[in-house]
Every structure is written in C-alpha cells, then in structure tokens.
C-alpha cells in the first residue's frame, strides 16, 4: 500500500477535504492527533481502500518476482505455480485450465 501511487492518491484526497472541518475542530479545542483520528481518518476510508485493493491485485498478479526469489513449488503463489505446467514442447492444458480456474476467483 505504500507506493508512489498511494502517496499521490492520499495527498490529493487530503487536499480535497474541506479546511473548515479542521478549523471547526480546532475552535472546539481539539488537538492535532484527535482531529486526524476522529475527523479526517473516517473521511478518507475510500482513499485508503483504493490503494489497498490495487496493491493486493498487483501482488496477486505478479509472476516474475515469486519465480525469481522462490524455488520451492509448494510455497509459490497460484499464478507462479502454474508456470511449470507449460513446457517447451508439451503443455498439460487440462491441468493448467483447472489451476487457472482455481486462481481466478480471488
């Protein structure tokens, strides 16, 4: 979730929030951390969810990195675990399609 895209998205979302909310809380006597925790954080939940979902999808669909760092087929993610089924001269299509079906719902 801590990517340049997430930082840019959250910055733009915070800039779009009305300044009057923070000023009203300061007038009521709230300190900076309670203003952030009880006013700003609940308002940016959609902006927090978007980078979380996008980062999870990028990680789930990542193929090259698990193949580089992991050599144990039992510990590979599903997308990287399907690559050994495709050979140079022969491909086991029924098993590959069954694995692809299992990997697609998440």
């Amino acid at each position: 979730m801590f990517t340049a895209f997430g930082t840019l998205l959250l910055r733009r979302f915070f800039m779009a929030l009305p300044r009057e909310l923070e000023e009203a809380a300061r007038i009521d006597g709230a300190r900076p951390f309670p203003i952030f925790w009880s006013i700003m954080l609940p308002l940016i939940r959609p902006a927090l969810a978007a980078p979380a979902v996008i980062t999870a999808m990028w990680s789930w669909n990542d193929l090259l990195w698990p193949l580089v760092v992991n050599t144990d087929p039992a510990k590979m993610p599903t997308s990287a675990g399907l690559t050994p089924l495709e050979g140079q001269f022969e491909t086991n299509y029924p098993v590959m399609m069954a694995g692809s079906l299992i990997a697609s719902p998440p």
Side-chain angles (χ1 to χ4, degrees):
M1 192 164 139
F2 303 105
T3 61
F5 170 72
T7 304
L8 177 71
L9 183 71
L10 287 176
R11 180 181 181 277
R12 296 299 297 170
F13 205 86
F14 270 115
M15 289 177 65
L17 288 176
R19 205 79 165 134
E20 291 82 13
L21 291 172
E22 185 178 353
E23 291 172 0
R26 284 193 193 278
I27 290 172
D28 289 341
R31 307 290 300 168
F33 184 72
I35 290 173
F36 173 75
W37 189 257
S38 59
I39 297 172
M40 299 299 173
L41 194 61
L43 290 174
I44 64 162
R45 282 187 189 148
L48 290 173
V53 169
I54 291 170
T55 304
M57 285 176 40
W58 282 343
S59 298
W60 182 262
N61 292 330
D62 192 17
L63 177 65
L64 185 60
W65 182 246
L67 290 175
V68 169
V69 298
N70 191 3
T71 57
D72 186 12
K75 295 180 182 175
M76 284 190 185
T78 313
S79 59
L82 292 174
T83 56
L85 297 176
E86 184 177 356
Q88 183 177 0
F89 301 110
E90 183 179 305
T91 302
N92 192 354
Y93 286 110
V95 175
M96 185 180 287
M97 291 300 126
S100 298
L101 183 67
I102 291 171
S104 62

